[in-house]
Amino acid sequence: MADPFDIDEALQPAHEPPTAPAPPVAEGDEPPYLASLNPEQREAVLTTEGPLLVLAGAGTGKTRVLTTRLAHILAARLAWPGQILAVTFTNKAAQEMRQRIRALIGDMVEGLGWLGTFHSIGLKFLQRHAEAAGLSSGFSVLDDDDQLRLLKQVMAAANVDEKRFPARQLAALIDSWKNRGLIPEQVPDADAITADGINAQKLYAAYQQRLQQLNAVDFGDLLVKPLQLLRGDAFLLNEYRRRFRYIMVDEYQDTNVAQYLLLRLLAGEDGNICCVGDDDQSIYGWRGAQVENILRFPKEFAGAKIIRLVRNYRSTAHILGAANGLIAHNRARLGKELISGLGDGEPVLIRPCRDDLEEARTITDDIEALLRAGERLNEVAVLVRASFQMRSIEERLIATGLPYRVIGGPRFYERQEIRDALAYLKVVHSPDHDLAFERIINVPKRGIGKASLAKLHEFARNRGVSLYRAAELLTESENALKPKLRNTLRVLINAFERWRREMQQLSPAELAGLVLDESGYIEMWQAERSVQAQGRLENLKELIRSLEEFETLGGFLEHVALVMDADALAEDDKITLMTMHAAKGLEFGHVFLPGWEEGLFPHQRALDDAGEAGLEEERRLAYVALTRAKRRAVISFAASRMVHGLWQNNLPSRFLEELPKAHVRVDDTGHAFFGWAMKDGGLRDTGGDVPGFDTAEDVEPVIIDPAREQAPAPQPPAPERKGFATPTSPAPTSRPAQPASSRATSAPAPPTATEDPRIASARRLLAASRATPPRAATAGAAPVFRKGERVRHRQFGEGTVLEADGNKLTIAFDAIGEKRIMASFVERA
DNA sequence: GAACGTATCTTTTTT
DNA sequence: AGATACGTTC
């Protein structure tokens, strides 16, 4: 094991400033990196001593301040690179910081060994102090898939019925404890037992024990274990306090309790800690983040200086005005208003749509127009609340032939074939990785089923060895196993031994190729002649390609554990499609924000789980999303969309009404009938009921077949989505001249070729609304309900109608109380 | 032990 | 709707 204290790195002349590579800073002669900063930014950079909180609104040059400040500390010879702890929220942010610092100070950046996410820094710390943490070197970090499997085993061993208490739920609970820095013994009694009477605290303890046996840690342990170590060892703590002369934290509003405690511990009473964040952009409460951390910073760090950055250099005044007005509805905030350094620009556009298909269509129509106007696709983003929304948009983008990339979606490393491949590599790298071994022991099929596996497990348990070792031992004895099984295992073990030997000679990429080939894994997918299998093979190739960047297999596996995402490089000219969460910190000329509907955004779960606080977090998310836009933002909502295979009707998001009138414009091109229009220059519900069903007075009724109407237009099959590859689509120039929108619609009264597609869709909608009652697409006429009637809802159960206002009912549900529901969602009980 | 069928849940966001 | 989990049958 490495010398835990790493004297050469930590204790370089901490007491005298470094002398070597720093450029001289002459008196009165300002270093060039300060020149382009505004006064507040400059103050933040130059305030190096003592606690400092920088409240940096969206687009106010936060990253610039952080990187310049760090460079300044080095240039002014206040510390060596190894004495700076710099924490970012994502790996991407860490990389970006590294690059920007390199641009300022050159190769000295290499010495910044403690720049990274909390988790990667926690891992580094644990690797240095593995033994103290009860681990041996080379311990593995479980991904959440492994974690879940392990939890299931633990629950099975404790005889807990997974139906009563799903493993996922336990995982979430344990995670929340770890986010608070709690080891099993510290779990408060009040939290230990679930509503069902299951002792979750005991399960947590058993889980930790199993982890230890496996010489593994999970994600949360990367925070909790360092915290425990530092708390329990004053000497160790002191060493690290002395080492980290300067601490910098990005996205401070997103830190959780464990992270806060860690910082508090390392910074000590009088540390030089600088936290940068924005309380209005705190969007990870569901993951344990505490906005309170930022709100009470001044109290926790006595004598803290606070600097506010509010000059925004990103968005036009209309966009900022809309965002400022929206976030002003929040109560829990420090309060600030961004000031635009740019012109007015265009108002935020609000666009009502009939359904998600039409919504997707209007987005691609707009993007095509942008393209014709010479805009670069790199400047265009579609930001969604939930990843399932991506599907209809992706399909539409593919149909239109617009190139795009997905960031965030289903993660590359979460794909089945990738996990299988990784499991093989993990076993090659560390044979005792039971979870990995279990995953692939019968993939491809080798005839090792449940019974054989159980035998291995039993043997391993009795002997106190790993599964792999158990297999090895059992094949060595003559009669322990049936000949067939014994032979199969022998072949498998031999193969692993061989691959392990090859590990010395081959590069990780070559080794991976060999393993996947010889194991029969690639063959397994080749044998399956489906389109899907084709995609999986592609992904495996991609995996091998990405392995080429790594020197060692161990290095790669570590990288994968920490960076579940293989980020797409934003170099080629493509539209970006991602979740709002993933978009934090980014900016685009044109931003499309679909799905602003009650239930989806704000998300019902957020409201149910956290009430008013949940609503405020959703509002902050809306704020984050809006402030991504530099020049133009288009918000849309769909009256109905397909969710879980059923059509669901939605009301427009309350956030729409919270946007100040002066900064928005409603797109009423053929949509005034939605009941949404500009009144007095603002967005108002004009009294229309369920959007789309009230006002069509002057249009010829046309009977249509709802099923056909809803059927998607014929489209090429969607290619397998990849984390860092993107679907290959024709370049924009090679697309047909005809706008794609006109071919994808199958209107009952076909529009002429020249007709605006939006008008065409309006025409169809009007026709549909006259011809069929609401919810025609799903279940026929919605019955009319009266006060006092008993009704049943799919999700909420039975209840009594308190009030009936057309389609909107107020219902007192027996189980959950009062709710406003649209009539089409309930049936007579 | 594997293949097929049925039942059940899912989708909020991620280091 | 689609994936997964579990049970039944061959």
Side-chain angles (χ1 to χ4, degrees):
Chain A
M1 195 184 104
D3 171 12
F5 299 127
D6 208 351
I7 300 297
D8 60 320
E9 176 197 284
L11 299 183
Q12 281 189 41
H15 309 293
E16 344 161 8
T19 47
V25 182
E27 287 284 328
D29 180 16
E30 277 208 347
Y33 52 78
L34 291 179
S36 52
L37 301 178
N38 71 31
E40 302 87 56
Q41 292 174 333
R42 181 195 182 85
E43 194 186 356
V45 166
L46 293 176
T47 307
T48 57
E49 308 305 300
L52 169 67
L53 177 64
V54 180
L55 289 173
T60 55
K62 178 193 67 166
T63 311
R64 168 174 232 170
V65 165
L66 267 172
T67 51
T68 312
R69 190 172 184 276
L70 206 153
H72 172 69
I73 288 171
L74 293 173
R77 305 170 183 176
L78 298 170
W80 292 96
Q83 295 172 320
I84 298 176
L85 172 65
V87 196
T88 60
F89 192 63
T90 64
N91 291 289
K92 209 164 76 187
Q95 265 178 296
E96 193 194 334
M97 238 178 112
R98 203 171 272 277
Q99 263 171 27
R100 288 173 69 161
I101 293 169
R102 176 176 286 113
L104 290 171
I105 62 163
D107 285 344
M108 222 205 304
V109 74
E110 302 305 334
L112 285 167
W114 297 93
L115 188 164
T117 62
F118 273 104
H119 292 87
S120 64
I121 285 166
L123 175 62
K124 180 167 185 172
F125 180 89
L126 276 185
Q127 282 169 339
R128 296 191 164 205
H129 306 287
E131 255 129 78
L135 298 158
S136 41
S137 67
F139 63 85
S140 50
V141 182
L142 298 192
D143 60 37
D144 43 322
D145 201 48
D146 290 338
Q147 184 193 15
L148 205 62
R149 203 129 29 89
L150 187 57
L151 280 172
K152 282 180 182 169
Q153 289 176 11
V154 168
M155 292 175 82
N159 259 326
V160 175
D161 185 2
E162 247 240 72
K163 286 210 178 80
R164 264 176 67 207
F165 190 45
R168 286 193 175 282
Q169 213 169 306
L170 179 61
L173 194 58
I174 289 177
D175 205 46
S176 77
W177 285 330
K178 289 190 172 177
N179 283 336
R180 287 194 270 156
L182 302 175
I183 57 174
E185 300 81 70
Q186 295 168 329
V187 171
D189 291 343
D191 299 358
I193 315 276
T194 69
D196 263 8
I198 290 163
N199 192 333
Q201 188 261 346
K202 272 209 174 119
L203 291 172
Y204 178 21
Y207 167 69
Q208 288 304 120
Q209 206 181 349
R210 282 289 292 140
L211 278 175
Q212 182 132 4
Q213 283 166 8
L214 292 168
N215 194 31
V217 297
D218 68 11
F219 241 76
D221 285 339
L222 297 178
L223 300 178
V224 176
K225 287 195 183 282
L227 183 61
Q228 293 293 328
L229 274 182
L230 288 170
R231 271 179 165 170
D233 186 342
F235 182 70
L236 186 69
L237 175 61
N238 202 26
E239 284 302 324
Y240 275 92
R241 274 194 184 167
R242 272 209 278 160
R243 168 177 301 184
F244 296 135
R245 290 171 64 79
Y246 293 93
I247 300 178
M248 270 186 243
V249 188
D250 193 10
E251 308 281 12
Y252 188 62
Q253 75 283 354
D254 288 325
T255 51
N256 60 34
V257 172
Q259 291 163 338
Y260 162 76
L261 291 171
L262 214 44
L263 289 174
R264 192 83 190 79
L265 217 49
L266 288 171
E269 296 298 314
D270 49 359
N272 301 319
I273 181 169
C274 166
C275 294
V276 181
D278 178 3
D279 52 323
D280 289 334
Q281 291 187 70
S282 165
I283 55 176
Y284 285 98
W286 51 274
R287 208 172 81 187
Q290 303 274 311
V291 210
E292 294 75 23
N293 285 351
I294 198 167
L295 300 179
R296 66 171 186 222
F297 184 91
K299 266 192 218 150
E300 297 291 334
F301 294 93
K305 187 166 179 176
I306 300 178
I307 297 173
R308 277 167 210 254
L309 307 180
V310 290
R311 297 193 209 193
N312 176 296
Y313 302 93
R314 177 190 292 156
S315 313
T316 61
H318 270 314
I319 292 168
L320 284 188
N324 279 333
L326 178 73
I327 199 66
H329 286 81
N330 268 12
R331 303 186 57 165
R333 62 191 295 249
L334 294 169
K336 67 177 169 342
E337 277 220 347
L338 297 180
I339 305 156
S340 175
L342 309 175
D344 276 356
E346 279 181 62
V348 173
L349 189 66
I350 296 176
R351 178 180 290 148
C353 298
R354 185 191 57 173
D355 55 31
D356 46 337
L357 299 173
E358 183 185 277
E359 187 178 50
R361 194 158 54 236
T362 61
I363 290 173
T364 53
D365 285 353
D366 273 16
I367 295 176
E368 291 190 306
L370 288 174
L371 207 53
R372 282 194 292 273
E375 191 62 64
R376 306 242 312 155
L377 292 180
N378 262 343
E379 283 297 313
V380 179
V382 183
L383 311 181
V384 297
R385 175 61 183 84
S387 39
F388 78 87
Q389 291 173 263
M390 289 184 183
R391 221 189 81 194
S392 56
I393 292 168
E394 263 193 282
E395 277 171 8
R396 184 67 209 155
L397 286 167
I398 291 164
T400 323
L402 287 166
Y404 69 97
R405 83 185 118 241
V406 173
I407 295 186
R411 310 308 209 69
F412 183 72
Y413 291 117
E414 281 172 15
R415 293 165 181 287
Q416 184 193 336
E417 66 278 14
I418 299 301
R419 293 199 132 137
D420 287 342
L422 287 175
Y424 269 103
L425 297 177
K426 284 177 190 171
V427 177
V428 172
H429 182 254
S430 33
D432 295 338
H433 198 313
D434 277 7
L435 295 160
F437 186 56
E438 205 179 325
R439 181 179 183 105
I440 46 85
I441 191 168
N442 201 30
V443 181
K445 300 249 185 296
R446 300 188 172 91
I448 303 174
K450 248 200 224 153
S452 311
L453 191 59
K455 201 174 275 178
L456 282 181
H457 263 301
E458 197 200 340
F459 187 83
R461 182 174 294 261
N462 288 340
R463 294 290 189 90
V465 296
S466 68
L467 280 182
Y468 183 91
R469 187 82 186 115
E472 209 173 11
L473 291 170
L474 280 170
T475 56
E476 276 164 14
S477 82
E478 268 319 314
N479 308 316
L481 304 170
K482 287 188 187 140
K484 194 176 150 222
L485 176 60
R486 182 181 168 210
N487 200 33
T488 310
L489 281 176
R490 194 65 248 163
V491 169
L492 186 63
I493 298 282
N494 283 343
F496 272 112
E497 298 296 327
R498 194 169 62 249
W499 296 327
R500 211 162 292 131
R501 281 196 301 276
E502 293 288 357
M503 191 161 61
Q504 319 303 326
Q505 275 89 51
L506 299 178
S507 76
E510 290 168 328
L511 180 68
L514 186 77
V515 170
L516 295 181
D517 185 30
E518 292 189 358
S519 62
Y521 190 73
I522 287 188
E523 201 183 336
M524 176 183 104
W525 289 117
Q526 280 169 343
E528 192 188 309
R529 297 218 158 273
S530 66
V531 184
Q532 269 200 331
Q534 207 51 46
R536 293 185 196 278
L537 287 166
E538 287 292 316
N539 288 338
L540 289 171
K541 270 191 208 151
E542 189 68 45
L543 176 73
I544 292 172
R545 217 172 306 147
S546 69
L547 260 150
E548 278 163 10
E549 292 166 36
F550 291 84
E551 302 266 313
T552 65
L553 184 56
F556 172 74
L557 291 174
E558 186 178 294
H559 167 85
V560 173
L562 289 175
V563 189
M564 284 300 283
D565 199 14
D567 278 320
L569 293 165
E571 277 175 16
D572 37 0
D573 196 28
K574 286 175 176 168
I575 297 159
T576 305
L577 175 58
M578 61 181 152
T579 63
M580 295 173 175
H581 282 86
K584 192 160 76 154
L586 305 178
E587 58 177 37
F588 302 90
H590 305 265
V591 170
F592 292 89
L593 302 168
W596 285 42
E597 296 131 36
E598 283 295 303
L600 178 57
F601 193 40
H603 200 281
Q604 193 58 47
R605 267 287 279 276
L607 267 37
D608 292 347
D609 291 352
E612 193 64 24
L615 175 63
E616 295 212 344
E617 179 153 313
E618 294 286 289
R619 197 178 278 120
R620 289 193 292 270
L621 186 55
Y623 176 77
V624 168
L626 262 176
T627 51
R628 296 312 96 197
K630 289 192 272 190
R631 301 200 296 281
R632 198 158 154 268
V634 181
I635 301 174
S636 53
F637 64 91
S640 58
R641 71 171 66 235
M642 185 79 107
V643 182
H644 299 170
L646 291 170
W647 284 97
Q648 193 182 303
N649 289 352
N650 296 306
L651 298 169
S653 168
R654 69 190 77 185
F655 296 151
L656 293 171
E657 290 168 85
E658 294 174 1
L659 296 170
K661 296 172 194 174
H663 300 296
V664 300
R665 186 167 68 77
V666 175
D667 177 5
D668 50 5
T669 343
H671 284 279
F673 54 84
F674 264 114
W676 283 75
M678 296 293 280
K679 280 284 165 70
D680 313 320
L683 178 68
R684 291 283 300 280
D685 187 338
T686 54
D689 217 310
V690 176
F693 298 110
D694 262 2
T695 42
E697 295 304 339
D698 51 354
V699 176
E700 193 78 37
V702 180
I703 308 292
I704 56 158
D705 172 9
R708 208 185 90 215
E709 173 64 10
Q710 295 296 357
Q715 286 167 359
E720 184 90 339
R721 189 195 294 167
K722 295 188 212 160
F724 47 66
T726 38
T728 43
S729 12
T733 43
S734 68
R735 282 178 299 120
Q738 192 63 248
S741 35
S742 53
R743 61 183 137 93
T745 53
S746 59
T752 58
T754 50
E755 189 175 27
D756 182 328
R758 236 165 269 133
I759 294 177
S761 94
R763 182 197 299 283
R764 278 199 330 278
L765 178 51
L766 286 173
S769 70
R770 288 300 294 264
T772 53
R775 304 274 299 155
T778 8
V784 178
F785 296 99
R786 296 217 176 71
K787 242 191 223 180
E789 272 194 290
R790 293 287 292 169
V791 292
R792 184 183 302 114
H793 184 273
R794 210 176 128 251
Q795 193 187 345
F796 304 136
E798 289 194 12
T800 310
V801 177
L802 294 181
E803 221 162 80
D805 169 21
N807 283 301
K808 293 174 196 158
L809 305 177
T810 307
I811 301 169
F813 286 104
D814 304 340
I816 56 151
E818 215 170 292
K819 261 201 185 321
R820 297 241 303 167
I821 298 282
M822 279 197 285
S824 45
F825 282 106
V826 297
E827 53 179 342
R828 278 203 179 78

